């Protein structure tokens, strides 16, 4: 027996539904997403290839073999990453020979993350010819594996990047943050972010205050913000490259250690590295008069050996590009509230509620300390900015 639903509005019988063949777009979700890797410019071929017939039947999947299977770890050579570029890196062997090694798509999944300056890596030989340097595929060596790191300093990657984080330096002993006492002015929030990043990686934090020669009365002219920050830094070294003030103290602190130098553009970081490592010959620049911000002169991270005549125990310095901001990845508000530098003596959380984020909760020890003058308003304002920025 038929009912009214068997006919459409025009009185015609409803046709039976046909099975619709999946379109190419429907099958895209089945493919491993490597396009972002290709667009990022760090791989030169697809790690997995898929081919479909017109009818989308019998998909042929070809997995590219792990290069270790072809090269063999016994044939790999270990080296130290000196510089990192878009698709290649400079690696120094133990015999001091420096070669250019490329990243290949076949190693992207094995590596997990591409090498950073300071990494120890295994290189495999892929070409018989010597390095020509005329394109990614012309290099004699490729990176096969990044050896485990003992420490690292990370920052968020670009918003359109496939990799959410970028490692500024690896296998370091301490973080040396360079800040100027003036021109450009001391950036409280930026310094707090770096101090947090160092603390999260259990790395000592050394604050180097440059351009001390611009203060007529020396340390007596330091701003209240700088003095407040000096009270929570592990070590503070005021220096002047022009007068030589503090350079010997800084050399003693760097001797025998692997140190990463970082800071905002224009604070004199490159000038300071040139004074410590004359062979570095880094390009320097002046602060822009228009906005008081520095010009980028360092475009990529580089590793330099400290000269033995000034550093008997040796050591290395990793110079990173001047950056205007550093973010804190994967940190929720409650964690930030508990570990923010300078809030709790001895890192002992004393607020009434364990989930207090120091905004409007009753019994907040941090807000009470701010009202009593035990915690500076500038430090609390810096915390609020970081909290509201989503880290």
């Amino acid at each position: 027996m038929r009912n009214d639903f068997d006919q459409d509005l025009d009185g015609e019988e409803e046709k039976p539904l046909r099975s619709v063949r999946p379109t190419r777009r429907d099958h895209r979700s089945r493919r491993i997403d490597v396009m972002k890797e290709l667009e990022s410019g760090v791989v030169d071929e697809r790690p997995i290839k898929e081919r479909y017939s017109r009818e989308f039947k019998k998909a042929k999947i070809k997995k590219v073999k792990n290069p270790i299977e072809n090269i063999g770890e016994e044939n790999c050579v270990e080296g130290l990453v000196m510089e990192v570029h878009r698709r290649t890196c400079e690696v120094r062997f133990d015999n001091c020979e420096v070669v250019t090694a490329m990243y290949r798509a076949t190693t992207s999944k094995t590596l997990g993350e591409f090498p950073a300056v300071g990494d120890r890596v295994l290189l495999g030989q892929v070409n018989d010819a010597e390095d020509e340097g005329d394109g990614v595929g012309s290099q004699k060596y490729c990176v096969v594996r990044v050896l485990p790191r003992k420490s690292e300093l990370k920052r968020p990657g670009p918003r359109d990047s496939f990799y959410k984080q970028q490692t500024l330096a690896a296998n370091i002993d301490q973080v040396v943050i360079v800040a100027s006492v003036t021109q450009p002015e001391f950036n409280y929030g930026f310094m707090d972010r770096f101090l947090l990043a160092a603390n999260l990686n259990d790395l000592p934090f050394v604050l180097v205050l440059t351009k001390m020669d611009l203060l007529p009365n020396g340390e007596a002219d330091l701003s209240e913000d700088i003095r407040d920050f000096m009270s929570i830094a592990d070590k503070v070294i005021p220096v002047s490259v022009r007068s030589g003030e503090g350079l010997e103290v800084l050399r003693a602190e760097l001797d025998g250690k692997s140190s990463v130098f970082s800071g905002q553009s224009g604070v004199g970081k490159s000038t300071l590295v040139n004074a410590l490592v004359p062979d570095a010959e880094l390009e320097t620049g002046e602060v822009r008069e228009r906005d008081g911000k520095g010009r980028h002169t360092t475009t990529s991270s580089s590793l330099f050996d400290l000269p033995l005549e000034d550093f008997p125990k040796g050591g290395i310095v990793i110079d990173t590009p001047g950056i205007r901001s550093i973010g804190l990845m994967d940190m929720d508000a409650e964690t930030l509230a508990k570990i923010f530098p300078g809030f709790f003596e001895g890192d002992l959380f004393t607020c009434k509620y364990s989930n207090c984020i120091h905004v409007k909760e009753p019994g907040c020890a941090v807000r009470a300390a701010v009202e009593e003058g035990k915690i500076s308003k500038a430090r609390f304002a810096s915390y609020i900015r970081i909290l509201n920025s989503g880290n």
Side-chain angles (χ1 to χ4, degrees):
M1 181 176 179
R2 298 177 58 187
N3 54 41
D4 295 338
F5 292 103
D6 292 328
Q7 296 181 348
D8 58 13
L9 296 177
D10 296 329
E12 297 179 359
E13 292 186 2
E14 183 180 2
K15 297 180 180 180
L17 294 176
R18 295 185 303 170
S19 60
V20 180
R21 292 180 179 178
T23 63
R24 186 177 297 271
R25 179 174 297 178
D26 296 329
H27 284 274
R28 286 178 183 170
S29 59
R30 295 174 55 187
R31 303 181 184 182
I32 293 181
D33 186 7
V34 297
M35 290 307 298
K36 291 184 178 179
E37 294 186 61
L38 295 172
E39 293 170 358
S40 68
V42 295
V43 296
D44 54 330
E45 55 190 353
R46 298 189 181 204
I48 293 181
K49 299 178 181 179
E50 276 183 288
R51 290 185 178 180
Y52 288 87
S53 63
R54 283 181 176 269
E55 294 78 18
F56 296 102
K57 294 180 179 179
K58 297 181 180 179
K60 296 181 180 180
I61 302 178
K62 179 182 178 182
K63 294 185 178 180
V64 182
K65 291 184 179 180
N66 190 317
I68 297 180
E69 299 176 6
N70 299 327
I71 298 174
E73 286 197 40
E74 68 278 2
N75 299 321
C76 293
V77 184
E78 184 176 337
L80 174 66
V81 178
M82 305 286 289
E83 292 185 17
V84 172
H85 306 293
R86 187 178 183 185
R87 302 178 72 179
T88 61
C89 62
E90 305 298 318
V91 180
R92 183 178 67 190
F93 296 141
D94 292 338
N95 61 2
C96 295
E97 178 187 3
V98 178
V99 300
T100 301
M102 60 182 172
Y103 314 133
R104 306 186 72 190
T106 50
T107 62
S108 63
K109 299 302 179 184
T110 303
L111 296 179
E113 182 178 4
F114 289 98
V117 175
D119 267 324
R120 301 290 299 184
V121 295
L122 292 180
L123 300 186
Q125 184 174 335
V126 291
N127 293 327
D128 294 331
E130 293 297 326
D131 296 3
E132 299 177 3
D134 298 328
V136 175
S138 65
Q139 274 73 40
K140 182 178 180 179
Y141 295 95
C142 74
V143 178
V144 173
R145 176 180 295 180
V146 176
L147 299 181
R149 297 166 176 166
K150 69 176 184 179
S151 61
E152 59 188 357
L153 181 64
K154 289 189 173 185
R155 65 166 294 184
R159 293 183 179 181
D160 57 348
S161 173
F162 179 73
Y163 298 99
K164 300 303 181 184
Q165 295 187 6
Q166 293 179 343
T167 301
L168 294 176
N171 300 319
I172 52 181
D173 298 318
Q174 61 185 1
V175 178
V176 179
I177 303 303
V178 183
S180 58
V181 294
T182 184
Q183 298 181 14
E185 297 298 328
F186 188 83
N187 189 321
Y188 213 120
F190 177 85
M191 303 304 293
D192 273 332
R193 288 175 179 269
F194 252 115
L195 180 55
L196 272 168
N199 290 346
L200 288 172
N201 290 280
D202 295 324
L203 293 170
F205 181 93
V206 180
L207 172 62
V208 176
L209 297 174
T210 60
K211 305 184 182 182
M212 288 296 296
D213 55 283
L214 298 181
L215 300 182
N217 300 316
E219 294 187 29
D221 290 340
L222 291 176
S223 66
E224 292 185 5
D225 286 352
I226 295 178
R227 291 181 180 278
D228 181 61
F229 198 88
M230 290 171 63
S231 64
I232 61 173
D234 296 325
K235 193 174 187 63
V236 181
I237 305 177
V239 302
S240 171
V241 176
R242 289 184 178 180
S243 66
E245 174 189 353
L247 291 183
E248 286 303 319
V249 178
L250 180 58
R251 288 190 179 99
E253 188 65 28
L254 301 178
D255 195 15
K257 300 176 182 177
S258 174
S259 308
V260 56
F261 273 55
S262 196
Q264 290 183 291
S265 305
V267 298
K269 178 170 56 67
S270 296
T271 302
L272 182 60
V273 173
N274 285 339
L276 298 170
V277 188
D279 293 339
E281 299 180 350
L282 297 179
E283 182 182 353
T284 60
E286 300 294 333
V287 176
R288 293 195 300 259
E289 295 182 0
R290 172 171 52 86
D291 55 8
K293 295 182 179 179
R295 296 181 175 89
H296 287 286
T297 55
T298 304
T299 57
S300 62
S301 298
S302 302
L303 184 148
F304 303 100
D305 293 308
L306 294 172
L308 293 177
E309 56 268 23
D310 296 326
F311 302 87
K313 298 179 182 178
I316 62 174
V317 164
I318 299 176
D319 181 42
T320 61
I323 53 180
R324 297 198 178 104
S325 64
I326 183 170
L328 304 169
M329 303 296 293
D330 302 327
M331 183 184 297
D332 55 36
E334 292 182 13
T335 301
L336 178 65
K338 287 181 171 64
I339 68 172
F340 196 78
F343 274 5
F344 302 102
E345 186 175 353
D347 297 329
L348 180 63
F349 190 80
T350 56
C351 290
K352 181 177 181 179
Y353 298 101
S354 60
N355 61 349
C356 179
I357 60 173
H358 321 314
V359 177
K360 58 182 179 180
E361 298 83 356
C364 176
V366 172
R367 294 205 316 276
V370 173
E371 294 176 359
E372 296 172 4
K374 297 179 180 180
I375 296 177
S376 69
K377 294 182 179 180
R379 170 156 300 283
F380 186 71
S382 174
Y383 163 77
I384 295 297
R385 284 195 298 270
I386 296 175
L387 179 67
N388 292 336
S389 67
N391 298 340

